[in-house]
Amino acid sequence: MTTTAPAFPTHPFPPDFVWGVATSSFQIEGATNKDGRGDSIWDSFCRLPGVIADGSDGSIACDHYHRLDEDLDLIAGLGVNAYRFSVSWPRVQPSGSGAWNEAGLAFYERLVDGLLARGIKPYLTLNHWDLPAALQTSGGWANRDTVHRFVDYAIGLNARLGDRVASIATHNEPWVVAFLGHESGIFAPGIKDRAVAAQVSHHLLLSHGLALQALRAQGCKASLGIVLNLAPVQAATTSAEDIEQAHLEDGRLLRWYMDPLFKGGYPQDVLDFLGEDGPRIEAGDMQQIALPMDFLGINYYSRSVVSAAGPWDAKTSGLELTEMGWEIYPEGLTQLLLRLHQDYAVPPLYITENGGAFKDSLVDGVVKDDDRTDYIAAHIAAVGAAMRQGVPMCGYMVWSLLDNFEWASGYEKRFGIVHVDYATQTRTPKDSAVWYRAFLRAQQLAHAPLNVALTEV
Ligand code: IFM
């Protein structure tokens, strides 16, 4: 941890580079019973005993639903040119099919128009995990019918907002929905069944492809893509067993999503591993999934180290860890980007999430989160390193704008560059936010015509 703010990454990012902050609906909005919103699977999941570390839920969260204007001003104050957010499907279509909820649509319309009025590009995600609970009663993502409900939802939302958003991502981190939600079961809907998880991953990808096609058929002008959580997967040792296990893990985390999206098929080694638990695939599905995208979003936090002997203990690596217990490994981001560029014909890439949970304390109105600032600075530099080697990067977004509901960890882990006092809902930009704003200002000045730069000085 440094005691002085880290120097700004020196890579010359182009003037049109997208700099943003990211959030998601369930993690910040609260107001879960307000204005006709339906339940999501995360509302139901939070009611189960023992599944959320601090027993909390999303009913209030950051109360963003009631503090929209204040939060829009906060975002604008950071000097970013983009804001990534997700739409709560049950807020705009409470049962996940049929009737739309005007109050919910109006909320997102205010959000999008408020961003545009402040000169900030809206980056919308359709599914950041809060599936309408009504759809879960008929099987949720395991039911092929949900694919078609998702396409209808995408079309409805596009009709209302598609003319004003810069980008639409279909899904955020399908691996998390499939694996954590349906195989390990530690996330909503809490199912523990490998075959169900495989089917869910296939339906998520299929719904992505079908939504892309439907939105394009509607004349949607926003750039369209998907957001994946990816990491370089490394073997814990050079033993044949660890290397083999790491290859399989790379297959399950990265190639299971990248191969169908960019190569038209699932990796054979993972299909062999799944055997009878593999997904049911209908004729035409794989072509649909592989439709060309305008962008790919990557969420990067750490590397993944794999040992055949069982779960690997990150504490043994000697690297610094975040509060999540994740290793701080910025070079892994450069490695990952180079690998994607080399192995796949990738479209323009964004880092759609990157950041860290750290132990913050608010003292005299200040949060000295040097560890978070170091983390962000090092990862921006890692993006620059990949760009110098030819990777087509076009944006970087910090996770997250605000401290928020960190899923099964509840409110105990803080990822925000803005501190939230949950008792009073007071927002306080941390030192990392001050650093990010100064870095973005320096970027702006570096690209400003000489006379403007001189006026600014
Ligand atoms: O908070 C999450 C986010 O919702 C998805 N990506 C990872 C973040 C940190 O765990």
Side-chain angles (χ1 to χ4, degrees), residues 110-135:
R110 273 211 303 133
L111 168 53
V112 167
D113 289 344
L115 289 169
L116 293 174
R118 290 165 177 80
I120 299 165
K121 291 187 191 125
Y123 278 65
L124 184 156
T125 300
L126 291 167
N127 170 32
H128 198 124
W129 312 348
D130 40 2
L131 182 77
L135 292 182

PDB file of all heavy atoms in Angstrom, residues 110-135:
ATOM      1  N   ARG A 110     -35.784   8.375 -16.978  1.00  0.00           N
ATOM      2  CA  ARG A 110     -35.200   9.523 -16.253  1.00  0.00           C
ATOM      3  C   ARG A 110     -33.697   9.330 -16.093  1.00  0.00           C
ATOM      4  O   ARG A 110     -32.919  10.270 -16.180  1.00  0.00           O
ATOM      5  CB  ARG A 110     -35.834   9.634 -14.860  1.00  0.00           C
ATOM      6  CG  ARG A 110     -37.097  10.444 -14.838  1.00  0.00           C
ATOM      7  CD  ARG A 110     -37.308  11.170 -13.501  1.00  0.00           C
ATOM      8  NE  ARG A 110     -37.339  10.308 -12.334  1.00  0.00           N
ATOM      9  CZ  ARG A 110     -36.668  10.548 -11.205  1.00  0.00           C
ATOM     10  NH1 ARG A 110     -35.894  11.611 -11.091  1.00  0.00           N
ATOM     11  NH2 ARG A 110     -36.764   9.723 -10.181  1.00  0.00           N
ATOM     12  N   LEU A 111     -33.306   8.082 -15.828  1.00  0.00           N
ATOM     13  CA  LEU A 111     -31.878   7.783 -15.671  1.00  0.00           C
ATOM     14  C   LEU A 111     -31.122   8.060 -16.978  1.00  0.00           C
ATOM     15  O   LEU A 111     -30.114   8.781 -16.996  1.00  0.00           O
ATOM     16  CB  LEU A 111     -31.723   6.317 -15.242  1.00  0.00           C
ATOM     17  CG  LEU A 111     -30.344   5.662 -15.263  1.00  0.00           C
ATOM     18  CD1 LEU A 111     -29.316   6.464 -14.493  1.00  0.00           C
ATOM     19  CD2 LEU A 111     -30.419   4.260 -14.663  1.00  0.00           C
ATOM     20  N   VAL A 112     -31.639   7.529 -18.065  1.00  0.00           N
ATOM     21  CA  VAL A 112     -30.956   7.693 -19.356  1.00  0.00           C
ATOM     22  C   VAL A 112     -30.941   9.170 -19.770  1.00  0.00           C
ATOM     23  O   VAL A 112     -29.894   9.717 -20.162  1.00  0.00           O
ATOM     24  CB  VAL A 112     -31.636   6.812 -20.437  1.00  0.00           C
ATOM     25  CG1 VAL A 112     -31.174   7.181 -21.833  1.00  0.00           C
ATOM     26  CG2 VAL A 112     -31.350   5.340 -20.152  1.00  0.00           C
ATOM     27  N   ASP A 113     -32.069   9.831 -19.649  1.00  0.00           N
ATOM     28  CA  ASP A 113     -32.123  11.247 -20.046  1.00  0.00           C
ATOM     29  C   ASP A 113     -31.245  12.099 -19.129  1.00  0.00           C
ATOM     30  O   ASP A 113     -30.609  13.057 -19.570  1.00  0.00           O
ATOM     31  CB  ASP A 113     -33.568  11.756 -20.032  1.00  0.00           C
ATOM     32  CG  ASP A 113     -34.380  11.145 -21.179  1.00  0.00           C
ATOM     33  OD1 ASP A 113     -33.753  10.593 -22.116  1.00  0.00           O
ATOM     34  OD2 ASP A 113     -35.620  11.198 -21.139  1.00  0.00           O
ATOM     35  N   GLY A 114     -31.205  11.738 -17.847  1.00  0.00           N
ATOM     36  CA  GLY A 114     -30.362  12.470 -16.893  1.00  0.00           C
ATOM     37  C   GLY A 114     -28.887  12.319 -17.222  1.00  0.00           C
ATOM     38  O   GLY A 114     -28.098  13.260 -17.064  1.00  0.00           O
ATOM     39  N   LEU A 115     -28.495  11.132 -17.677  1.00  0.00           N
ATOM     40  CA  LEU A 115     -27.096  10.924 -18.082  1.00  0.00           C
ATOM     41  C   LEU A 115     -26.787  11.764 -19.316  1.00  0.00           C
ATOM     42  O   LEU A 115     -25.778  12.477 -19.371  1.00  0.00           O
ATOM     43  CB  LEU A 115     -26.841   9.440 -18.395  1.00  0.00           C
ATOM     44  CG  LEU A 115     -26.836   8.492 -17.192  1.00  0.00           C
ATOM     45  CD1 LEU A 115     -26.836   7.036 -17.654  1.00  0.00           C
ATOM     46  CD2 LEU A 115     -25.626   8.754 -16.288  1.00  0.00           C
ATOM     47  N   LEU A 116     -27.669  11.682 -20.306  1.00  0.00           N
ATOM     48  CA  LEU A 116     -27.430  12.412 -21.561  1.00  0.00           C
ATOM     49  C   LEU A 116     -27.355  13.916 -21.295  1.00  0.00           C
ATOM     50  O   LEU A 116     -26.505  14.608 -21.858  1.00  0.00           O
ATOM     51  CB  LEU A 116     -28.529  12.090 -22.582  1.00  0.00           C
ATOM     52  CG  LEU A 116     -28.522  10.641 -23.091  1.00  0.00           C
ATOM     53  CD1 LEU A 116     -29.730  10.376 -23.980  1.00  0.00           C
ATOM     54  CD2 LEU A 116     -27.228  10.314 -23.846  1.00  0.00           C
ATOM     55  N   ALA A 117     -28.220  14.404 -20.411  1.00  0.00           N
ATOM     56  CA  ALA A 117     -28.217  15.843 -20.101  1.00  0.00           C
ATOM     57  C   ALA A 117     -26.889  16.266 -19.471  1.00  0.00           C
ATOM     58  O   ALA A 117     -26.490  17.422 -19.555  1.00  0.00           O
ATOM     59  CB  ALA A 117     -29.368  16.170 -19.159  1.00  0.00           C
ATOM     60  N   ARG A 118     -26.210  15.307 -18.840  1.00  0.00           N
ATOM     61  CA  ARG A 118     -24.920  15.608 -18.197  1.00  0.00           C
ATOM     62  C   ARG A 118     -23.743  15.212 -19.089  1.00  0.00           C
ATOM     63  O   ARG A 118     -22.594  15.161 -18.633  1.00  0.00           O
ATOM     64  CB  ARG A 118     -24.845  14.887 -16.847  1.00  0.00           C
ATOM     65  CG  ARG A 118     -25.792  15.470 -15.805  1.00  0.00           C
ATOM     66  CD  ARG A 118     -25.951  14.523 -14.615  1.00  0.00           C
ATOM     67  NE  ARG A 118     -26.807  15.073 -13.556  1.00  0.00           N
ATOM     68  CZ  ARG A 118     -28.134  15.070 -13.579  1.00  0.00           C
ATOM     69  NH1 ARG A 118     -28.787  14.578 -14.625  1.00  0.00           N
ATOM     70  NH2 ARG A 118     -28.823  15.596 -12.581  1.00  0.00           N
ATOM     71  N   GLY A 119     -24.022  14.858 -20.328  1.00  0.00           N
ATOM     72  CA  GLY A 119     -22.945  14.522 -21.278  1.00  0.00           C
ATOM     73  C   GLY A 119     -22.314  13.162 -21.029  1.00  0.00           C
ATOM     74  O   GLY A 119     -21.150  12.929 -21.377  1.00  0.00           O
ATOM     75  N   ILE A 120     -23.082  12.236 -20.446  1.00  0.00           N
ATOM     76  CA  ILE A 120     -22.545  10.906 -20.104  1.00  0.00           C
ATOM     77  C   ILE A 120     -23.269   9.842 -20.933  1.00  0.00           C
ATOM     78  O   ILE A 120     -24.511   9.828 -20.987  1.00  0.00           O
ATOM     79  CB  ILE A 120     -22.737  10.632 -18.600  1.00  0.00           C
ATOM     80  CG1 ILE A 120     -21.973  11.692 -17.794  1.00  0.00           C
ATOM     81  CG2 ILE A 120     -22.272   9.237 -18.229  1.00  0.00           C
ATOM     82  CD1 ILE A 120     -22.370  11.753 -16.345  1.00  0.00           C
ATOM     83  N   LYS A 121     -22.498   8.938 -21.543  1.00  0.00           N
ATOM     84  CA  LYS A 121     -23.121   7.906 -22.391  1.00  0.00           C
ATOM     85  C   LYS A 121     -23.693   6.770 -21.546  1.00  0.00           C
ATOM     86  O   LYS A 121     -22.973   6.188 -20.730  1.00  0.00           O
ATOM     87  CB  LYS A 121     -22.075   7.300 -23.327  1.00  0.00           C
ATOM     88  CG  LYS A 121     -21.573   8.237 -24.392  1.00  0.00           C
ATOM     89  CD  LYS A 121     -20.665   7.452 -25.342  1.00  0.00           C
ATOM     90  CE  LYS A 121     -19.938   8.398 -26.259  1.00  0.00           C
ATOM     91  NZ  LYS A 121     -18.508   8.247 -26.245  1.00  0.00           N
ATOM     92  N   PRO A 122     -24.968   6.420 -21.775  1.00  0.00           N
ATOM     93  CA  PRO A 122     -25.556   5.298 -21.032  1.00  0.00           C
ATOM     94  C   PRO A 122     -25.158   3.941 -21.628  1.00  0.00           C
ATOM     95  O   PRO A 122     -25.359   3.693 -22.820  1.00  0.00           O
ATOM     96  CB  PRO A 122     -27.070   5.520 -21.200  1.00  0.00           C
ATOM     97  CG  PRO A 122     -27.229   6.906 -21.787  1.00  0.00           C
ATOM     98  CD  PRO A 122     -25.975   7.164 -22.565  1.00  0.00           C
ATOM     99  N   TYR A 123     -24.588   3.069 -20.789  1.00  0.00           N
ATOM    100  CA  TYR A 123     -24.247   1.686 -21.163  1.00  0.00           C
ATOM    101  C   TYR A 123     -25.190   0.772 -20.378  1.00  0.00           C
ATOM    102  O   TYR A 123     -25.038   0.614 -19.175  1.00  0.00           O
ATOM    103  CB  TYR A 123     -22.772   1.388 -20.832  1.00  0.00           C
ATOM    104  CG  TYR A 123     -21.843   1.885 -21.899  1.00  0.00           C
ATOM    105  CD1 TYR A 123     -21.706   3.246 -22.162  1.00  0.00           C
ATOM    106  CD2 TYR A 123     -21.138   0.994 -22.690  1.00  0.00           C
ATOM    107  CE1 TYR A 123     -20.880   3.703 -23.182  1.00  0.00           C
ATOM    108  CE2 TYR A 123     -20.300   1.445 -23.712  1.00  0.00           C
ATOM    109  CZ  TYR A 123     -20.180   2.797 -23.947  1.00  0.00           C
ATOM    110  OH  TYR A 123     -19.368   3.240 -24.959  1.00  0.00           O
ATOM    111  N   LEU A 124     -26.156   0.212 -21.081  1.00  0.00           N
ATOM    112  CA  LEU A 124     -27.228  -0.547 -20.424  1.00  0.00           C
ATOM    113  C   LEU A 124     -26.960  -2.057 -20.473  1.00  0.00           C
ATOM    114  O   LEU A 124     -26.547  -2.577 -21.513  1.00  0.00           O
ATOM    115  CB  LEU A 124     -28.534  -0.201 -21.136  1.00  0.00           C
ATOM    116  CG  LEU A 124     -29.860  -0.744 -20.638  1.00  0.00           C
ATOM    117  CD1 LEU A 124     -30.993   0.188 -21.096  1.00  0.00           C
ATOM    118  CD2 LEU A 124     -30.149  -2.146 -21.129  1.00  0.00           C
ATOM    119  N   THR A 125     -27.198  -2.721 -19.353  1.00  0.00           N
ATOM    120  CA  THR A 125     -27.156  -4.191 -19.328  1.00  0.00           C
ATOM    121  C   THR A 125     -28.572  -4.690 -19.053  1.00  0.00           C
ATOM    122  O   THR A 125     -29.252  -4.194 -18.148  1.00  0.00           O
ATOM    123  CB  THR A 125     -26.202  -4.701 -18.224  1.00  0.00           C
ATOM    124  OG1 THR A 125     -24.900  -4.194 -18.486  1.00  0.00           O
ATOM    125  CG2 THR A 125     -26.144  -6.217 -18.193  1.00  0.00           C
ATOM    126  N   LEU A 126     -29.006  -5.672 -19.841  1.00  0.00           N
ATOM    127  CA  LEU A 126     -30.374  -6.171 -19.689  1.00  0.00           C
ATOM    128  C   LEU A 126     -30.522  -7.124 -18.509  1.00  0.00           C
ATOM    129  O   LEU A 126     -31.537  -7.115 -17.817  1.00  0.00           O
ATOM    130  CB  LEU A 126     -30.805  -6.903 -20.970  1.00  0.00           C
ATOM    131  CG  LEU A 126     -31.014  -6.039 -22.214  1.00  0.00           C
ATOM    132  CD1 LEU A 126     -31.124  -6.922 -23.462  1.00  0.00           C
ATOM    133  CD2 LEU A 126     -32.267  -5.190 -22.060  1.00  0.00           C
ATOM    134  N   ASN A 127     -29.524  -7.979 -18.306  1.00  0.00           N
ATOM    135  CA  ASN A 127     -29.643  -8.983 -17.239  1.00  0.00           C
ATOM    136  C   ASN A 127     -28.400  -9.014 -16.366  1.00  0.00           C
ATOM    137  O   ASN A 127     -27.385  -9.583 -16.743  1.00  0.00           O
ATOM    138  CB  ASN A 127     -29.867 -10.381 -17.844  1.00  0.00           C
ATOM    139  CG  ASN A 127     -29.756 -11.483 -16.789  1.00  0.00           C
ATOM    140  OD1 ASN A 127     -30.089 -11.267 -15.623  1.00  0.00           O
ATOM    141  ND2 ASN A 127     -29.289 -12.652 -17.194  1.00  0.00           N
ATOM    142  N   HIS A 128     -28.515  -8.362 -15.211  1.00  0.00           N
ATOM    143  CA  HIS A 128     -27.451  -8.491 -14.206  1.00  0.00           C
ATOM    144  C   HIS A 128     -28.052  -9.285 -13.047  1.00  0.00           C
ATOM    145  O   HIS A 128     -28.125  -8.820 -11.911  1.00  0.00           O
ATOM    146  CB  HIS A 128     -26.940  -7.108 -13.776  1.00  0.00           C
ATOM    147  CG  HIS A 128     -25.603  -7.118 -13.092  1.00  0.00           C
ATOM    148  ND1 HIS A 128     -24.519  -6.386 -13.531  1.00  0.00           N
ATOM    149  CD2 HIS A 128     -25.164  -7.757 -11.996  1.00  0.00           C
ATOM    150  CE1 HIS A 128     -23.487  -6.574 -12.727  1.00  0.00           C
ATOM    151  NE2 HIS A 128     -23.855  -7.401 -11.778  1.00  0.00           N
ATOM    152  N   TRP A 129     -28.614 -10.455 -13.409  1.00  0.00           N
ATOM    153  CA  TRP A 129     -28.964 -11.540 -12.483  1.00  0.00           C
ATOM    154  C   TRP A 129     -30.339 -11.470 -11.829  1.00  0.00           C
ATOM    155  O   TRP A 129     -30.770 -12.463 -11.242  1.00  0.00           O
ATOM    156  CB  TRP A 129     -27.915 -11.694 -11.373  1.00  0.00           C
ATOM    157  CG  TRP A 129     -26.506 -11.722 -11.854  1.00  0.00           C
ATOM    158  CD1 TRP A 129     -26.052 -11.856 -13.157  1.00  0.00           C
ATOM    159  CD2 TRP A 129     -25.324 -11.622 -11.053  1.00  0.00           C
ATOM    160  NE1 TRP A 129     -24.680 -11.846 -13.192  1.00  0.00           N
ATOM    161  CE2 TRP A 129     -24.202 -11.694 -11.916  1.00  0.00           C
ATOM    162  CE3 TRP A 129     -25.105 -11.470  -9.687  1.00  0.00           C
ATOM    163  CZ2 TRP A 129     -22.887 -11.629 -11.455  1.00  0.00           C
ATOM    164  CZ3 TRP A 129     -23.801 -11.404  -9.225  1.00  0.00           C
ATOM    165  CH2 TRP A 129     -22.699 -11.484 -10.104  1.00  0.00           C
ATOM    166  N   ASP A 130     -31.054 -10.317 -11.872  1.00  0.00           N
ATOM    167  CA  ASP A 130     -32.308 -10.229 -11.120  1.00  0.00           C
ATOM    168  C   ASP A 130     -33.502 -10.644 -11.983  1.00  0.00           C
ATOM    169  O   ASP A 130     -34.381  -9.845 -12.301  1.00  0.00           O
ATOM    170  CB  ASP A 130     -32.504  -8.832 -10.498  1.00  0.00           C
ATOM    171  CG  ASP A 130     -32.082  -7.679 -11.413  1.00  0.00           C
ATOM    172  OD1 ASP A 130     -31.661  -7.940 -12.562  1.00  0.00           O
ATOM    173  OD2 ASP A 130     -32.183  -6.517 -10.991  1.00  0.00           O
ATOM    174  N   LEU A 131     -33.518 -11.928 -12.316  1.00  0.00           N
ATOM    175  CA  LEU A 131     -34.621 -12.511 -13.100  1.00  0.00           C
ATOM    176  C   LEU A 131     -35.942 -12.354 -12.332  1.00  0.00           C
ATOM    177  O   LEU A 131     -35.976 -12.553 -11.117  1.00  0.00           O
ATOM    178  CB  LEU A 131     -34.335 -14.006 -13.297  1.00  0.00           C
ATOM    179  CG  LEU A 131     -35.335 -14.799 -14.136  1.00  0.00           C
ATOM    180  CD1 LEU A 131     -35.120 -14.522 -15.626  1.00  0.00           C
ATOM    181  CD2 LEU A 131     -35.214 -16.301 -13.854  1.00  0.00           C
ATOM    182  N   PRO A 132     -37.053 -12.022 -13.019  1.00  0.00           N
ATOM    183  CA  PRO A 132     -38.348 -11.993 -12.319  1.00  0.00           C
ATOM    184  C   PRO A 132     -38.632 -13.336 -11.643  1.00  0.00           C
ATOM    185  O   PRO A 132     -38.506 -14.398 -12.261  1.00  0.00           O
ATOM    186  CB  PRO A 132     -39.353 -11.718 -13.449  1.00  0.00           C
ATOM    187  CG  PRO A 132     -38.556 -10.989 -14.489  1.00  0.00           C
ATOM    188  CD  PRO A 132     -37.172 -11.592 -14.420  1.00  0.00           C
ATOM    189  N   ALA A 133     -39.009 -13.269 -10.352  1.00  0.00           N
ATOM    190  CA  ALA A 133     -39.252 -14.508  -9.592  1.00  0.00           C
ATOM    191  C   ALA A 133     -40.358 -15.341 -10.239  1.00  0.00           C
ATOM    192  O   ALA A 133     -40.341 -16.569 -10.165  1.00  0.00           O
ATOM    193  CB  ALA A 133     -39.612 -14.167  -8.148  1.00  0.00           C
ATOM    194  N   ALA A 134     -41.317 -14.656 -10.884  1.00  0.00           N
ATOM    195  CA  ALA A 134     -42.434 -15.390 -11.513  1.00  0.00           C
ATOM    196  C   ALA A 134     -41.904 -16.366 -12.568  1.00  0.00           C
ATOM    197  O   ALA A 134     -42.479 -17.445 -12.760  1.00  0.00           O
ATOM    198  CB  ALA A 134     -43.403 -14.401 -12.148  1.00  0.00           C
ATOM    199  N   LEU A 135     -40.814 -16.012 -13.243  1.00  0.00           N
ATOM    200  CA  LEU A 135     -40.280 -16.924 -14.260  1.00  0.00           C
ATOM    201  C   LEU A 135     -39.585 -18.124 -13.617  1.00  0.00           C
ATOM    202  O   LEU A 135     -39.493 -19.192 -14.225  1.00  0.00           O
ATOM    203  CB  LEU A 135     -39.307 -16.187 -15.190  1.00  0.00           C
ATOM    204  CG  LEU A 135     -39.924 -15.129 -16.116  1.00  0.00           C
ATOM    205  CD1 LEU A 135     -38.856 -14.502 -17.012  1.00  0.00           C
ATOM    206  CD2 LEU A 135     -41.031 -15.737 -16.990  1.00  0.00           C
TER     207      LEU A 135
END
